[in-house]
Amino acid sequence: MRVHRLRMTAFGPFAASVEVDLDALASGGLFLLHGPTGAGKTSILDAVCFALYGAVPGSRQGARLRSDHAADGVAPEVVCEFTASGRRFEVTRSPAWERPKKRGAGTTTEQARVVVRELVDGDWQPVTSRIDEAGDLLESVLGLGVDQFTKLVLLPQGEFAAFLRAGAEERRALLERLFGTDRFAAVQQWMRETQAGYRQEVEAADARAGTLVARAEQAAAMVGVPRSVDVPGADEPLPTPVEAVARLRIEVEMELDAARQARVATQERAQHAAGEDRDAVELDRLQARHQELRARARSLQLASPQHSARLARLAAARRAAGIA
């Protein structure tokens, strides 16, 4: 954001119209606003903030903005021309004030008003004259609300002076009010609560682990496993309940693996033994068949002479039949 021009009329200490050409001041780089107390240095910053947001920073919020030195009937007004987000705007804003009645005695309230224009192709085009629409437009263009603007861009002079004079505790409170550090306090509170919750979870886990260890020791005693034996390193620190449960779990898993391996080996041996039994039965059957065949061979060998005589008679009968 860059402010180009600022004009103030009947605003703060300025009874008449005063215009400040900020482009001319900034042509050499940085510039300094200085002068005696009451010269209106802070009022220039107030005018910029009022033109953009309709409010002034610091403790002056809610104060009467119209100059007490202005002539009756002169309306307070601030005109600010600036560039933001690549767009050039002109904001004319007046606060609510009491003006003399046109007829009769007394005053009447003149309501606050605003006019926003934008420079488009060298011509000023009206944008809005509604206060709510102007506020939404300028806040979206600037990207900052009035609180952020006054804390990041315009540090209120009165707040800074109070900060310099304050003690440690008062200074902390002023910093919290200026920079909104309450969110950091909320983060600290959240961290404390989260830490307490994690501590409770750890304590509950330790309690559950202690219960499991006690149950494991009771089960070991029931099956006759000694609770303590003389082993190397017995003087080392005892494991925590969580470590003891982890070790017990590892031992149980190792025992289960050994049992599974033993069962597989038993099944393999049983299958091998069953195969050997089948081989033995088949061998017995073959041996019996062999004995049977050998017996038949012997019987056939013994009947061979009788078989030869019968064959001779059969051949003679066949010859006789042919002759007949």
Side-chain angles (χ1 to χ4, degrees):
M1 173 193 173
R2 178 177 179 179
V3 179
H4 302 285
R5 181 175 61 90
L6 182 68
R7 187 176 75 242
M8 300 163 287
T9 302
F11 184 86
F14 306 106
S17 294
V18 176
E19 184 168 336
V20 181
D21 189 351
L22 295 173
D23 282 340
L25 291 176
S27 60
L30 296 176
F31 62 91
L32 172 68
L33 295 177
H34 66 93
T37 301
K41 302 181 297 296
T42 303
S43 296
I44 295 177
L45 304 180
D46 289 347
V48 174
C49 187
F50 174 75
L52 299 177
Y53 297 100
V56 294
S59 59
R60 294 177 300 282
Q61 294 182 8
R64 191 172 63 177
L65 300 179
R66 185 178 184 275
S67 176
D68 294 333
H69 308 288
D72 294 341
V74 177
E77 183 182 79
V78 174
V79 179
C80 181
E81 185 179 335
F82 67 96
T83 297
S85 302
R87 303 167 65 182
R88 187 156 181 164
F89 294 92
E90 180 193 74
V91 182
T92 303
R93 193 186 294 268
S94 297
W97 63 291
E98 296 292 328
R99 66 168 178 81
K101 290 183 177 180
K102 295 181 180 179
R103 293 186 177 87
T107 61
T108 185
T109 302
E110 192 73 28
Q111 298 299 325
R113 62 181 181 86
V114 64
V115 175
V116 180
R117 298 192 303 170
E118 183 176 4
L119 185 63
V120 180
D121 297 331
D123 295 329
W124 288 103
Q125 302 293 332
V127 177
T128 183
S129 59
R130 293 185 52 176
I131 295 178
D132 53 348
E133 290 182 357
D136 295 338
L137 171 65
L138 295 175
E139 186 169 340
S140 64
V141 170
L142 296 172
L144 296 172
V146 61
D147 292 335
Q148 291 79 17
F149 185 81
T150 56
K151 291 173 183 176
L152 300 177
V153 180
L154 297 179
L155 182 63
Q157 180 179 354
E159 296 289 343
F160 186 68
F163 171 77
L164 294 177
R165 295 191 301 266
E169 187 63 25
E170 294 177 344
R171 191 173 301 175
R172 182 186 64 82
L174 285 172
L175 288 174
E176 288 180 354
R177 187 169 70 253
L178 281 173
F179 299 103
T181 57
D182 51 339
R183 60 184 181 276
F184 300 109
V187 171
Q188 290 179 344
Q189 180 65 22
W190 175 83
M191 293 179 64
R192 285 193 294 266
E193 294 175 355
T194 304
Q195 182 184 17
Y198 287 156
R199 184 182 296 110
Q200 292 178 358
E201 292 180 2
V202 171
E203 292 175 354
D206 289 342
R208 290 195 299 270
T211 302
L212 292 175
V213 170
R215 292 174 60 184
E217 292 178 352
Q218 183 180 5
M222 292 176 63
V223 298
V225 178
R227 297 182 59 182
S228 62
V229 295
D230 294 333
V231 295
D235 295 335
E236 295 179 358
L238 294 176
T240 63
V242 175
E243 294 174 345
V245 170
R247 293 179 183 179
L248 181 61
R249 181 181 300 168
I250 294 174
E251 293 176 0
V252 171
E253 291 179 353
M254 293 175 63
E255 292 292 339
L256 290 176
D257 290 338
R260 284 193 291 268
Q261 294 176 3
R263 183 176 61 185
V264 172
T266 302
Q267 292 176 352
E268 291 178 351
R269 288 195 297 270
Q271 292 175 358
H272 182 69
E276 291 181 350
D277 292 341
R278 288 193 298 272
D279 292 342
V281 171
E282 182 67 17
L283 179 61
D284 292 342
R285 187 185 67 81
L286 293 176
Q287 288 178 351
R289 179 64 175 169
H290 178 67
Q291 295 295 333
E292 180 183 357
L293 293 176
R294 290 185 64 181
R296 290 184 62 185
R298 283 193 301 268
S299 64
L300 291 174
Q301 186 177 5
L302 292 175
S304 178
Q306 298 175 359
H307 182 65
S308 297
R310 286 194 293 270
L311 289 177
R313 288 197 301 271
L314 179 60
R318 288 176 177 174
R319 287 193 299 269
I323 295 173

